Amino acid sequence: MNFWESIVNSVEEASSFYFLFELALIVFAVKLLGHLSTKIGQPSVFGKLLVGILLGPTVLNLIHPNPLISELAEIGVILLMFLAGLETDLQEFKKNAFAATTVAIGGVVLPFLGGLGLSMLFGFETTVAVYVGTLLVATSVSISVQTLRELGKLKSREGTTILGAAVLDDVLGIIILSAVLGLTAGGSAGAGGIGDLGVLVAKIAVFFVVAVLIGYYVLPALLKFVQRFQVSQTLLAFAVIVALLFAYMGELFGVAGIVGSYVCGLMLSLTPHREEMTHKVEAFSYPFFVPLFFANIGLVANFREINPEIIWFSVLLAIVAILCKVIGCALGGKVAKFNTKSSLVVGAGMVARGEVGLIIAMIGIERGIISNDLFSAALIVVIASTLVTPPLIKLFLKEKGETDTVKTSVGA
């Protein structure tokens, strides 16, 4: 074998390790665009969200969605929501329970009616229109969490209200989705669908009871036990293990995994190790897992293949999705006695659909409820609503005069 043949063989063998190059490129690009975003006066998360679109099929076509990146991204969002739970002031959380409820209701009703009305206006059949309305109900608060953390406002009244409302939004969204799937399935409508919905509601209730009991009574005892282990980074290992287990338990009970990890962090915030645990999990998550989560959102988009005939509907649907969330949640904030600007901050924090919207869209296309064109429209809604969330939060906070203090220790 001569020199050139050896080079060719080495290249062919290295192709099976191309994922290493992909991961390195994603992490570098997320850091770079996050930095550039702050240079133009936006939260760094805005730039990070563009990475997947730029590197993926839409622009440069260097990286394609794949199971490895998707699963690592799932770990990233689970850890991000776990950190949000750790940083939540439980007393403030309890005080804002009523506000969270009114915001969640506003964030469900108005977007659902907006999506339903626009779809029927464009001539879609009722079943499809109802599903599009359900898609707009989704809320993915992980983007808002990162933005609020950067701005040092995650523990504010607005921040805790957004977190509480997002958890309720997820629960309400899951119930509505299950009801729609039950009523649209050929043989599952009627009593069977209602029965399945009742079972789901019971499972969700059981999850929260079990999660709180385990979090309050079992986790502190386990934490004391594992600290006796003569190994390195015991506290970090414990935090990651329980975050992943709570996320898995959430999925088993029909609740999103990010809700499970958030509840886990919320319960561990009551322990004396809250601050140390937060710093260790940040150091573990932000260099690698969280950047992959941001990039993966854009990677799944391929705007080159969108049918031009669906573009206008997609644009209008994205506008309706954003406005209905802001207005609906802001009205909920006003009911809870927030002033107008604080209400708008809360509304902006509930706009992003993120991975929750993608999941609902995927279920719709797999069940044959929506077409490929409508899936593309849903993708535009997810990307657009996710991209506008950081600038909107920054804008409304700036109007309040509250963006001077930025949490510089966080830089995913």
Side-chain angles (χ1 to χ4, degrees), residues 129-178:
V130 168
Y131 200 86
V132 173
T134 305
L135 173 70
L136 297 201
V137 166
T139 293
S140 176
V141 77
S142 47
I143 302 301
S144 302
V145 164
Q146 175 63 11
T147 305
L148 290 167
R149 291 188 86 220
E150 287 185 22
L151 300 175
K153 295 299 173 185
L154 187 58
K155 297 180 184 180
S156 66
R157 189 184 177 204
E158 294 92 343
T160 52
T161 299
I162 289 169
L163 285 166
V167 171
L168 289 173
D169 237 17
D170 272 345
V171 172
L172 292 172
I174 290 166
I175 292 171
I176 293 171
L177 176 62
S178 302

Side-chain angles (χ1 to χ4, degrees), residues 56-80:
T58 299
V59 182
L60 298 177
N61 204 26
L62 290 175
I63 302 175
H64 296 88
N66 62 69
L68 174 64
I69 293 175
S70 178
E71 288 168 6
L72 291 173
E74 184 66 24
I75 295 173
V77 70
I78 286 169
L79 293 174
L80 185 62

Side-chain angles (χ1 to χ4, degrees), residues 180-220:
V180 170
L181 291 175
L183 295 173
T184 55
S188 301
I194 299 299
D196 290 343
L197 184 60
V199 170
L200 177 69
V201 173
K203 284 171 64 179
I204 291 173
V206 170
F207 164 76
F208 281 103
V209 171
V210 171
V212 169
L213 289 176
I214 292 175
Y216 195 79
Y217 292 104
V218 179
L219 289 187

Side-chain angles (χ1 to χ4, degrees), residues 59-388:
V59 182
L60 298 177
N61 204 26
L62 290 175
I63 302 175
H64 296 88
N66 62 69
L68 174 64
I69 293 175
S70 178
E71 288 168 6
L72 291 173
E74 184 66 24
I75 295 173
V77 70
I78 286 169
L79 293 174
L80 185 62
M81 292 308 296
F82 175 71
L83 282 167
L86 278 176
E87 292 191 82
T88 300
D89 185 329
L90 198 55
Q91 295 305 315
E92 190 70 25
F93 190 81
K94 291 176 181 177
K95 285 195 295 184
N96 291 324
F98 175 72
T101 302
T102 58
V103 168
I105 293 172
V108 166
V109 174
L110 199 58
F112 179 81
L113 294 176
L116 174 68
L118 183 67
S119 300
M120 296 191 75
L121 191 64
F122 271 76
F124 291 103
E125 61 183 62
T126 304
T127 300
V128 175
V130 168
Y131 200 86
V132 173
T134 305
L135 173 70
L136 297 201
V137 166
T139 293
S140 176
V141 77
S142 47
I143 302 301
S144 302
V145 164
Q146 175 63 11
T147 305
L148 290 167
R149 291 188 86 220
E150 287 185 22
L151 300 175
K153 295 299 173 185
L154 187 58
K155 297 180 184 180
S156 66
R157 189 184 177 204
E158 294 92 343
T160 52
T161 299
I162 289 169
L163 285 166
V167 171
L168 289 173
D169 237 17
D170 272 345
V171 172
L172 292 172
I174 290 166
I175 292 171
I176 293 171
L177 176 62
S178 302
V180 170
L181 291 175
L183 295 173
T184 55
S188 301
I194 299 299
D196 290 343
L197 184 60
V199 170
L200 177 69
V201 173
K203 284 171 64 179
I204 291 173
V206 170
F207 164 76
F208 281 103
V209 171
V210 171
V212 169
L213 289 176
I214 292 175
Y216 195 79
Y217 292 104
V218 179
L219 289 187
L222 278 177
L223 183 53
K224 286 182 180 179
F225 174 72
V226 299
Q227 285 184 304
R228 301 174 188 169
F229 292 4
Q230 299 298 310
V231 291
S232 62
Q233 299 295 342
T234 305
L235 187 62
L236 173 60
F238 172 80
V240 173
I241 290 167
V242 294
L244 296 177
L245 287 177
F246 267 66
Y248 179 64
M249 183 171 69
E251 295 289 349
L252 287 178
F253 279 87
V255 181
I258 57 175
V259 174
S261 62
Y262 175 73
V263 172
C264 181
L266 197 63
M267 301 313 298
L268 286 175
S269 71
L270 300 173
T271 68
H273 300 282
R274 169 183 178 173
E275 293 294 331
E276 183 184 358
M277 199 177 294
T278 299
H279 292 312
K280 287 181 178 293
V281 176
E282 275 183 0
F284 175 75
S285 309
Y286 276 90
F288 183 69
F289 292 103
V290 174
L292 291 174
F293 159 64
F294 289 124
N296 193 57
I297 293 174
L299 285 179
V300 299
N302 187 356
F303 295 124
R304 294 181 182 183
E305 298 179 359
I306 290 179
N307 186 344
E309 295 178 3
I310 203 73
I311 289 293
W312 277 113
F313 174 74
S314 304
V315 171
L316 288 174
L317 188 64
I319 293 171
V320 167
I322 293 165
L323 289 179
C324 285
K325 270 290 183 186
V326 172
I327 295 170
C329 294
L331 288 174
K334 292 294 286 183
V335 171
K337 308 298 184 184
F338 280 93
N339 62 40
T340 300
K341 290 178 180 178
S342 290
S343 298
L344 289 172
V345 171
V346 171
M350 298 289 286
V351 164
R353 269 55 175 196
E355 73 287 350
V356 179
L358 290 176
I359 291 168
I360 294 176
M362 286 298 298
I363 291 172
I365 199 168
E366 288 169 0
R367 298 288 184 93
I369 300 172
I370 61 174
S371 64
N372 287 329
D373 285 346
L374 275 179
F375 178 76
S376 297
L379 204 58
I380 289 176
V381 169
V382 169
I383 296 296
S385 64
T386 302
L387 281 173
V388 302

